[in-house]
Amino acid sequence: MSIKIQPEAIASLRGFEMPERLGFGTVMAPVMFRARFQDGRWSDGELLPYGPLALDPAAKVLHYAQSCFEGLKAYRYGDEGIGLFRPERNAARMAHSAQRLCMPPVPESLFMDAVNVVVAHCAGLVPGNSGESLYVRPFLMGTQPDLSVTASRAYEFYVIASPSEAYHPGNMRLWVEREDSRAAVGGTGDAKVGGNYAASLQSISRLKARGYDQSLWLNPGNRHTVDELSGMNFFAVMDGALHTPALNGSILEGVTRESLLTLARDAGLEVHERAIDIDDLLQLVASGTCTEAFACGTAAIVSPISELGDGEQRYRLAQAPGPVAMQLRTALLDIQEGRAEDRFGWMHLVQVASL
Ligand SMILES: *Cc1c(COP(=O)(O)O)cnc(C)c1O
């Protein structure tokens, strides 16, 4: 497919000045990609200046939440330029999320072209310090303007990007959420949809009032095995072995999760993907068998967990950050930033566009 580069997009890139402080996901690159789906086919894509969207107030997405998104990062990659980390995994996951919500999957070639064109033009905006990156956010939504509860026939696919600092939530204290669920049995837990996040916000506001940082969600079917956090997957180290909940339909399959499992196995660690009972986990923390726990996702990569709270009880992890979390974080970042050989073929180099 051909992508039209609007001259206004180039002008906005030329006029862009990077602010001194970036934060995470708050500074937006001055361009965005858009393609439209209508009458059963995708339009050619366009690179436009970043700006507000014109949406009909009756657009389906605003009422029935027909939308899904992705998150991936472009890094300064050694001396070679800009590298994307496993973008084809995000393309596949977005297709899965779209299908779950009855939306037309964005074809892999369109997804890759869109991400590439944004990153190629924003190459000058990829910050250079270790841990910094251009965070790339593709999203898809149903735009047909009518209030009937049916799948939209019109869609828009966008890619925006945000030059970002390293996202360090610090040591996290997790609250075991025994009341709410972020996902349902047979629901959308394994799809990356905004509705899952909306469902998690009440829990987060309650736990913040108690001094915690994030919810630890239990499986909505049995309500006693661990699923994940609101936007990160969960790992624990027990007797030196790495454990993570097995995928079960309500867990979002993280690209970081899968990559850490590969790196851990490669480093000779014992790895278990299994159902982890919450009461067993808390006992193993209390007895010192579970020495560390951490969460992982594209934004923060690896975030140590220092404490699990369950009702009035607090369970402190012996090591936060622990050695396994740090070892895996370093191994992953070294590949992403080009200090280590890309032995698994994960990096996708982007040809920088001249402005
Ligand atoms: C995006 C997300 C993750 C992390 O996935 P990555 O591909 O590693 O960024 C984990 N859990 C949920 C619920 C998510 O939405």
Side-chain angles (χ1 to χ4, degrees):
M1 88 153 194
S2 69
I3 296 177
K4 185 170 160 230
I5 312 291
Q6 287 196 353
E8 295 83 357
I10 301 297
S12 59
L13 282 163
R14 286 191 183 134
F16 183 74
E17 280 181 39
M18 281 277 257
E20 210 137 282
R21 296 289 327 260
L22 290 175
F24 190 88
T26 53
V27 175
M28 292 301 156
V31 291
M32 61 187 185
F33 173 92
R34 180 182 65 204
R36 293 194 162 115
F37 182 91
Q38 190 109 46
D39 302 324
R41 57 177 286 274
W42 287 97
S43 70
D44 284 347
E46 292 176 281
L47 191 70
L48 315 164
Y50 184 90
L53 311 181
L55 269 188
D56 191 290
K60 303 259 195 199
V61 59
L62 300 176
H63 305 273
Y64 308 129
Q66 231 193 342
S67 72
C68 62
F69 69 96
E70 272 305 322
L72 66 163
K73 281 178 171 173
Y75 296 86
R76 290 235 163 261
Y77 191 68
D79 299 329
E80 296 172 68
I82 309 294
L84 282 162
F85 183 69
R86 307 188 75 182
E88 67 290 340
R89 299 297 305 141
N90 299 91
R93 187 169 66 190
M94 192 166 194
H96 169 76
S97 302
Q99 265 153 346
R100 180 64 184 80
L101 297 188
C102 227
M103 304 195 280
V106 174
E108 186 186 63
S109 59
L110 172 57
F111 183 97
M112 296 293 284
D113 287 353
V115 169
N116 260 296
V117 79
V118 169
V119 173
H121 285 83
C122 293
L125 277 63
V126 182
N129 296 319
S130 179
E132 297 181 341
S133 63
L134 183 70
Y135 182 73
V136 181
R137 168 58 60 91
F139 60 100
L140 171 69
M141 61 185 172
T143 52
Q144 186 187 336
D146 80 61
L147 299 178
S148 64
V149 185
T150 53
S152 178
R153 276 183 276 112
Y155 293 87
E156 294 185 9
F157 170 52
Y158 289 88
V159 179
I160 58 174
S162 172
S164 292
E165 283 166 24
Y167 178 64
H168 284 306
N171 280 349
M172 294 190 299
R173 302 167 57 191
L174 303 193
W175 172 259
V176 178
E177 178 55 73
R178 301 239 184 209
E179 274 175 59
D180 290 2
S181 294
R182 69 172 276 281
V185 178
T188 55
D190 71 349
K192 206 166 178 74
V193 303
N196 294 341
Y197 281 77
S200 74
L201 297 177
Q202 170 176 277
S203 169
I204 295 175
S205 77
R206 280 198 302 245
L207 68 87
K208 292 243 155 142
R210 296 177 176 127
Y212 286 86
D213 303 304
Q214 287 281 323
S215 318
L216 182 59
W217 296 101
L218 302 180
N219 182 271
N222 61 40
R223 304 198 56 85
H224 66 84
T225 59
V226 173
D227 267 1
E228 60 169 322
L229 282 67
S230 300
M232 287 189 262
N233 293 115
F234 178 82
F235 282 86
V237 178
M238 302 171 187
D239 275 334
L242 189 62
H243 296 250
T244 194
L247 300 176
N248 59 13
S250 57
I251 294 175
L252 194 282
E253 181 175 5
V255 180
T256 316
R257 172 188 181 280
E258 187 195 295
S259 306
L260 293 183
L261 287 173
T262 300
L263 290 171
R265 290 190 176 107
D266 184 64
L269 279 174
E270 189 182 322
V271 173
H272 300 278
E273 291 180 72
R274 63 174 181 93
I276 300 176
D277 187 275
I278 184 61
D279 295 320
D280 292 349
L281 174 68
L282 295 173
Q283 281 320 307
L284 292 171
V285 173
S287 71
T289 302
C290 177
T291 45
E292 56 174 300
F294 58 89
C296 74
T298 295
I301 307 180
V302 170
S303 303
I305 294 163
S306 58
E307 185 177 314
L308 300 174
D310 183 29
E312 296 304 310
Q313 301 280 47
R314 293 165 170 247
Y315 300 81
R316 289 213 170 75
L317 276 301
Q319 300 176 308
V324 175
M326 289 300 101
Q327 176 193 346
L328 292 176
R329 178 188 171 87
T330 302
L332 184 57
L333 205 55
D334 282 353
I335 292 176
Q336 291 172 330
E337 298 182 337
R339 285 182 297 274
E341 193 197 331
D342 179 21
R343 290 194 296 117
F344 305 101
W346 285 341
M347 297 308 294
H348 172 100
L349 292 189
V350 176
Q351 202 71 41
V352 173
S354 50
L355 298 183

